[in-house]
Amino acid sequence: MKVSQPRTALVIGIAGALFLALIIVSPMLMTAVPSILGGGSSTDCNGTPVQDVSDSAGSDIPPKYLELYKKFGKQIGVQWNILAGVGKRETDHGRSTMPGVQSGTNEAGAAGPMQFLISTWGGKAQIKMDSTFSGYASDGDGDGIGDVYNPADAILGAAKMLKRNGAPENVRRALFIYNRAWWYVDQVIEIARKYAKNGDVQVPPQADSSCDDPLVQAAPSVVVAKILAFALAQRGKPYLWGGTGPDAFDCSGIIYAAYRAAGLSIPRTTFGQWPFGVKIEAGSEQPGDLVFFNAGPGTGPSSPGHVGMIVSKGKMIEARCTLCGPIKVTTYQERDNIVGYTRPLSNPDVLEQLKRLQNASL
């Protein structure tokens, strides 16, 4: 593997209170924003594409491998047939007798059924999963060892690498990073299409721009709808450390810019945004809230290093990293490094800003 004027009358005060009630809405009172903010969509934006196995796949892929492709594709969130396309192109699903498939490495230093460079796997072919290493070594069969020659381990590792580099939304980019040749990308995609009964490589609903409008319409308030509309409009733009737009953003930059688009000021950085919002319990988050993650050395429970913004239950928009692909909507609940959730709209300073905005509009 190469490898988005003050008034004093009592009635105005009541109106302001009602406005804030809409802003800090409880889950039980959440109502959709009027449709003037966007049109409808015929796309199933809540479903997950499920591609049936073609006759070609059923006859060509060994049952054990097919089970693993589907299992880890679903678990990690990449297309099973793309995983299978890689496995076919690299080693004919482990059946190749070329050097490096069953043992050792080939002339490029790659090993195993998914052809990982040993350095990319983690430095050696078999790695104890409780040890410290840098790579994609994975334990797909639960024996505590990441074995590059074990199909379960290798396929899980490949799924993680493809996910890390843009799949399922940007499959071509993810495959190019897997093996830096466009002819390779074309071949894998052609194989993947043949393996799917519908002859296609599908992307999840969150990758479809037609799913943006339903997300905005379902926002708990007009202000949140403005925040989401801006953030979702940035999808597809690149990550840039320190970026606040308009052409690129980092993780906190897109959130900072989205709130500004709604007339609100919040801290610029992840370290500032974490203590700013009111902490909320997992499961009570709603669109416009933030979810924070431990992002490695120098970050932790008191200083998370990555942040995303909730766009719907279980989904967030994020600018993750330079090598993680463009800004996109992803799932967050399956990640194991979540630090916590906050609601910037409940910060006292933001509440004052909302009052000023409401008074200015009267």
Side-chain angles (χ1 to χ4, degrees):
M1 184 185 306
K2 298 86 179 170
V3 273
S4 114
Q5 301 173 346
R7 305 284 181 93
T8 57
L10 177 60
V11 66
I12 300 302
I14 294 173
L18 290 173
F19 175 80
L20 290 178
L22 286 172
I23 299 301
I24 315 163
V25 65
S26 73
M28 292 185 293
L29 297 177
M30 290 179 69
T31 53
V33 174
S35 60
I36 57 172
L37 288 172
S41 170
S42 61
T43 303
D44 179 7
C45 296
N46 296 314
T48 299
V50 177
Q51 292 179 281
D52 292 332
V53 177
S54 69
D55 292 340
S56 173
S59 62
D60 185 47
I61 305 173
K64 175 183 176 181
Y65 274 73
L66 180 57
E67 178 184 354
L68 293 172
Y69 294 138
K70 296 177 74 173
K71 174 183 177 180
F72 293 126
K74 180 179 180 180
Q75 177 179 317
I76 302 302
V78 303
Q79 297 90 336
W80 73 264
N81 54 328
I82 287 292
L83 275 174
V86 171
K88 175 66 175 180
R89 178 58 185 80
E90 294 290 355
T91 67
D92 191 22
H93 309 301
R95 292 177 293 215
S96 172
T97 58
M98 298 291 287
V101 178
Q102 307 299 331
S103 63
T105 62
N106 63 15
E107 60 182 13
M114 303 303 279
Q115 290 291 277
F116 273 93
L117 291 174
I118 294 299
S119 59
T120 304
W121 185 250
K124 54 185 179 180
Q126 288 86 24
I127 298 176
K128 290 185 177 180
M129 299 308 295
D130 59 0
S131 65
T132 300
F133 65 93
S134 178
Y136 289 98
S138 302
D139 181 15
D141 62 357
D143 66 356
I145 302 293
D147 185 348
V148 74
Y149 304 108
N150 182 304
D153 298 353
I155 292 170
L156 176 56
K160 290 179 179 178
M161 185 174 183
L162 291 169
K163 178 75 170 183
R164 170 73 164 72
N165 291 312
E169 296 87 355
N170 195 337
V171 172
R172 290 187 63 84
R173 181 185 186 279
L175 289 171
F176 182 79
I177 294 174
Y178 199 96
N179 189 329
R180 294 179 181 274
W182 289 114
W183 57 261
Y184 174 88
V185 174
D186 292 339
Q187 289 182 6
V188 170
I189 290 179
E190 182 61 26
I191 295 168
R193 285 174 174 158
K194 292 179 179 178
Y195 282 164
K197 191 171 184 178
N198 65 356
D200 199 5
V201 175
Q202 292 183 300
V203 296
Q206 60 260 32
D208 188 336
S209 61
S210 65
C211 289
D212 289 355
D213 288 343
L215 291 175
V216 174
Q217 291 173 18
S221 72
V222 173
V223 169
V224 174
K226 290 180 179 179
I227 293 170
L228 294 187
F230 178 92
L232 290 167
Q234 312 315 308
R235 193 175 59 192
K237 293 182 179 180
Y239 173 93
L240 176 66
W241 187 85
T244 55
D247 299 323
F249 299 83
D250 66 8
C251 66
S252 56
I254 186 174
I255 295 168
Y256 171 77
Y259 272 76
R260 282 181 63 88
L264 301 172
S265 178
I266 65 172
R268 158 68 186 88
T269 67
T270 304
F271 292 149
Q273 290 172 1
W274 169 240
F276 181 80
V278 173
K279 303 295 187 298
I280 57 176
E281 293 295 323
S284 64
E285 67 273 12
Q286 63 188 39
D289 292 342
L290 307 184
V291 53
F292 293 82
F293 304 85
N294 181 355
T299 69
S302 62
S303 57
H306 180 59
V307 61
M309 185 168 71
I310 310 297
V311 297
S312 67
K313 184 67 72 174
K315 297 179 182 179
M316 66 178 175
I317 188 166
E318 64 171 341
R320 192 169 184 179
C321 70
T322 303
L323 297 177
C324 299
I327 294 169
K328 57 188 173 182
V329 174
T330 63
T331 57
Y332 61 86
Q333 291 172 321
E334 78 278 6
R335 295 194 189 176
D336 58 7
N337 57 343
I338 294 178
V339 171
Y341 303 82
T342 72
R343 183 164 296 157
L345 289 173
S346 291
N347 177 278
D349 183 54
V350 173
L351 294 178
E352 286 300 317
Q353 294 179 50
L354 290 167
K355 287 181 182 179
R356 291 195 294 270
L357 287 173
Q358 173 65 1
N359 290 334
S361 69
L362 297 175

